[in-house]
Structures are given as C-alpha cells and as structure tokens.
Amino acid sequence: MATLKEKRTCGQRCRDFGHFVWNSDEGTFMGRTPEKWVYISLYYVAFYVVMTALFSLAIYVLMYTLSPYEPDYQDRLQSPGVMVWPDTYNDEVLEITYNMSDKHSWMKMSKCLHKFLKPYNDTIQAQCNHYNCTVGKYFFQHQYDAPKHTKWACPFYQSMLGKCSGIVDPTFGYTTNQPCVIIKMNRIINFLPNNGTGMAPYVNCTVLKGHENVRGHVYYPLNGTLDLSYFPYYGKLAQPTYVNPLVAVKFDLVNKRRATIQCRVMANNIAYENFYDHYEGKVTFDLNALS
Ligand SMILES: *[C@@H]1O[C@H](CO)[C@@H](O)[C@H](O)[C@H]1NC(C)=O
Ligand SMILES: *[C@@H]1O[C@H](CO)[C@@H](O)[C@H](O)[C@H]1NC(C)=O
Ligand SMILES: *[C@@H]1O[C@H](CO)[C@@H](O)[C@H](O)[C@H]1NC(C)=O
Ligand SMILES: *[C@@H]1O[C@H](CO)[C@@H](O)[C@H](O)[C@H]1NC(C)=O
Ligand SMILES: *[C@@H]1O[C@H](CO)[C@@H](O)[C@H](O)[C@H]1NC(C)=O
Ligand SMILES: *[C@@H]1O[C@H](CO)[C@@H](O)[C@H](O)[C@H]1NC(C)=O
C-alpha cells in the first residue's frame, strides 16, 4: 500500500528551514557544526593557496626559460626581404622617376637618401660601433662582451658607398643621367647567408626591360658584397647599435633613360621566387630620368 504523502503547511516548511539554518538541538549551522565549518573553510583556503602557487610556478618557469634576447617562435620569414631607396612608390609599383633639370625633383630624391643614410654617418658609426671587425668572416659572439650586457656590431660607414655616399656628390647623381639607388636586405635573427659556407652574399642587378637604355652600372662597395662580418644578427636587445650593411648601385642611363631593373641578393639560402612575396630576396623597380 502506498503511504499518503504528508501534506505540510507553509508555516511548517518555514520552521523546518529555520531548523536547518540553526539547529539548536544539535548545535549545527546549515547542517554542520561551527567546528566543521571552520575545517571546511581551512580546507578551501589551503586548496586555493596551493592552486595559486602551482599556477605562479608554471608562469615563472615559462618566463624564466623565455629569453628576451631572441624570439622563441620564428616560423615566418626565414628568407630576408630586399628593399630599395629612394622608396618612391606609385600605385604599388616601385617607380624612381625624377627630372634632372627640375631642382624640386632631384632634391626630393637626394633628401630621401641623405635621411636614410643618417645612421651611417662616419662620425656616428665611429662612435657607437668602434669594434675592429674581421672582414670576410662571420662575426659569431657567444657571450655578451660589449658594454651593458650587449654584443658588438660592426660599423658600416657612409663613405664605403663611394660615389653613392652623398659625400663627394650630395645629389647622388640625380642631377644627371647617373642616379644611385641603395639596396638593403632586411634583418633576420641568427640568419647566416650561404648557410655557413663562408661565402659573402652580393647584390646582382639585372635589366628586365629597356636594355638599350642602360649602358652599365657600378656597385659600392666593390662587387656589391654584403660582408660576412655583419652576420649573424643577434636581435635589437643584444645588438642595439647594429646597422644593416648596404649596397649602392649607380646606373648609367642613355637613350630614353628608362628601364626596369631587378636587384637580387645572391646566396644559396635566400629564396627569390616566392609568388606571394615580391620582395623576398629581390626588388624590382622602374628607373626613369626625365629632363
Ligand atoms: C623637367 O623640368 C624642366 C624644368 O623644370 C621642365 O621644363 C620640363 O618640362 C620637365 N620635364 C618633364 C618631362 O616633366
Ligand atoms: C656626419 O655628422 C657630422 C657631425 O654631426 C657632420 O659634421 C657631417 O657633415 C656628417 N656627414 C655627412 C656626410 O652627412
Ligand atoms: C681597433 O684597432 C685600432 C687600431 O688598430 C685600435 O687603436 C683600437 O683600440 C682597436 N679597437 C678595439 C675595440 O679593439
Ligand atoms: C645548411 O647546413 C646544414 C648543416 O651544415 C645542412 O643540414 C642544411 O641542409 C644546409 N641547408 C642548405 C639549404 O644548404
Ligand atoms: C646576375 O644575374 C644574371 C641574371 O640572372 C646572371 O646571368 C649573372 O650571371 C649574375 N651575375 C652574377 C655575378 O652572379
Ligand atoms: C670582386 O670580384 C673580383 C672578380 O670576381 C675578385 O677578383 C675580387 O677579389 C672581388 N673583390 C672583392 C673586394 O670582393
């Protein structure tokens, strides 16, 4: 036989609840004695303290193993990009167009190059990069021997760009049909051009369009070499005074004085055929001298 469920009034329920909150017979509060409540609270305090400690320890260990001197994840950009100055863009095409008889036009070009070369000023370089680097050798530094826990960086003097240094000819040839452009390869931490074989990378410029308008070109420094002593690069924090080595190219334009040029940095581990990145390993630009 089923027992009939006892019907309870609201008042009874309230009394039951009150009884639950504070049971004076057994001296319990919410079903537990105050003593038990203290134990439970202590348990939870200890539990959270331990959890917090574990979490902090994990973060600490992670931060400790991360070096601020180099990125831990370098999954992109294993091959350096190449850029050209003066950096005058026109509808996404690099177009170095100037009018050699218009002062405003050639001034714009030479100002751009002077500004770009500011950090390479011989006086500044002699001050902040006074280490005697060995030309033709990778400059490996396993320790932080330079002041303030840094590494040395090799100087690159503006004067090494010869006729394109802006020192002999402050117009960089933009008042004539022999303009200079400056090629720079982007930095990649720990990148060794030619994969440690000891051969220096160099810039090779070729005429893609308008062969008849280019009589020749000259590289500064000689052979367009990017000396090995500028590699590897150890990062901004390790080498705060590092400057990228540069190569300047002076073109001799004739006839229509208009050509499309491609300059590539040649090394066995520099890619240049990336369909999605036109600046990887090479740079293409139009050169156009008006009069
Ligand atoms: C170049 O500049 C000169 C002098 O300002 C001007 O006479 C000439 O038309 C300019 N040439 C072009 C193609 O704009
Ligand atoms: C380099 O800097 C020095 C001192 O600031 C200055 O006198 C000199 O003209 C600069 N050289 C060039 C080529 O700008
Ligand atoms: C570099 O060489 C010059 C002359 O050979 C010397 O006076 C200078 O102390 C050297 N500097 C360093 C950092 O070794
Ligand atoms: C670079 O050198 C390393 C070791 O010397 C070798 O394992 C690797 O295959 C080389 N990579 C290229 C692209 O030559
Ligand atoms: C420069 O590039 C051109 C075209 O790719 C090539 O024919 C020439 O041999 C290269 N020159 C050097 C010195 O690598
Ligand atoms: C430039 O190249 C020529 C011919 O390949 C070579 O004899 C000369 O030593 C090179 N000069 C420099 C400074 O690399």
Side-chain angles (χ1 to χ4, degrees):
M1 280 286 151
T3 50
L4 279 171
K5 238 187 173 180
E6 213 185 328
K7 273 253 175 196
R8 282 143 52 93
T9 63
C10 186
Q12 272 174 322
R13 285 187 196 191
C14 279
R15 233 174 298 131
D16 282 354
F17 183 70
H19 210 69
F20 167 71
V21 171
W22 175 242
N23 185 334
S24 51
D25 302 340
E26 292 164 27
T28 60
F29 174 71
M30 301 274 230
R32 285 193 175 84
T33 59
E35 202 181 336
K36 270 193 173 164
W37 276 115
V38 169
Y39 284 131
I40 287 172
S41 311
L42 280 179
Y43 172 78
Y44 275 101
V45 167
F47 177 76
Y48 282 112
V49 165
V50 168
M51 289 304 278
T52 311
L54 274 181
F55 184 72
S56 313
L57 185 72
I59 293 287
Y60 176 78
V61 167
L62 180 71
M63 296 312 277
Y64 189 77
T65 53
L66 284 181
S67 165
Y69 288 92
E70 38 186 290
D72 283 67
Y73 296 105
Q74 243 195 26
D75 53 343
R76 292 189 326 127
L77 274 180
Q78 281 311 310
S79 196
V82 175
M83 286 147 81
V84 66
W85 269 264
D87 51 345
T88 45
Y89 292 80
N90 189 347
D91 289 336
E92 295 186 13
V93 181
L94 263 172
E95 197 173 272
I96 303 173
T97 300
Y98 68 100
N99 183 339
M100 49 197 188
S101 37
D102 179 2
K103 187 174 180 196
H104 177 77
S105 171
W106 59 256
M107 279 286 277
K108 192 177 141 201
M109 296 296 174
S110 55
K111 261 191 192 150
C112 172
L113 291 181
H114 276 297
K115 191 171 158 219
F116 175 70
L117 287 175
K118 270 239 169 76
Y120 294 89
N121 180 306
D122 288 30
T123 323
I124 295 175
Q125 281 299 307
Q127 272 170 12
C128 63
N129 286 329
H130 49 77
Y131 191 81
N132 291 338
C133 294
T134 312
V135 172
K137 285 237 160 61
Y138 296 111
F139 189 19
F140 291 111
Q141 298 173 79
H142 301 295
Q143 260 123 37
Y144 294 86
D145 290 333
K148 294 183 187 161
H149 196 72
T150 60
K151 297 183 181 187
W152 304 107
C154 297
F156 191 98
Y157 300 107
Q158 186 172 3
S159 57
M160 286 155 73
L161 298 178
K163 282 184 181 168
C164 287
S165 63
I167 298 170
V168 231
D169 172 14
T171 69
F172 294 91
Y174 281 91
T175 50
T176 69
N177 57 336
Q178 298 183 336
C180 289
V181 302
I182 295 178
I183 309 288
K184 186 185 101 172
M185 181 171 81
N186 290 338
R187 315 167 180 194
I188 293 185
I189 291 177
N190 289 334
F191 178 72
L192 282 185
N194 283 322
N195 199 15
T197 59
M199 292 201 315
Y202 60 93
V203 171
N204 182 9
C205 294
T206 46
V207 183
L208 296 186
K209 256 191 284 178
H211 294 266
E212 68 283 2
N213 300 336
V214 184
R215 189 154 52 193
H217 57 276
V218 191
Y219 300 102
Y220 302 95
L222 196 64
N223 296 353
T225 306
L226 297 163
D227 194 78
L228 289 179
S229 58
Y230 299 98
F231 306 97
Y233 169 58
Y234 288 105
K236 212 178 171 74
L237 217 52
Q239 288 180 303
T241 58
Y242 183 91
V243 286
N244 295 49
L246 305 173
V247 169
V249 195
K250 195 172 185 64
F251 291 94
D252 186 9
L253 301 171
V254 289
N255 300 326
K256 287 185 186 151
R257 298 186 298 260
R258 178 180 189 118
T260 304
I261 315 277
Q262 181 171 86
C263 293
R264 228 186 99 189
V265 178
M266 315 280 283
N268 68 13
N269 56 352
I270 297 180
Y272 62 97
E273 284 174 314
N274 188 340
F275 181 76
Y276 300 101
D277 183 357
H278 297 292
Y279 294 96
E280 187 176 85
K282 64 177 191 303
V283 62
T284 308
F285 54 93
D286 289 335
L287 200 51
N288 190 4
L290 309 170
S291 64

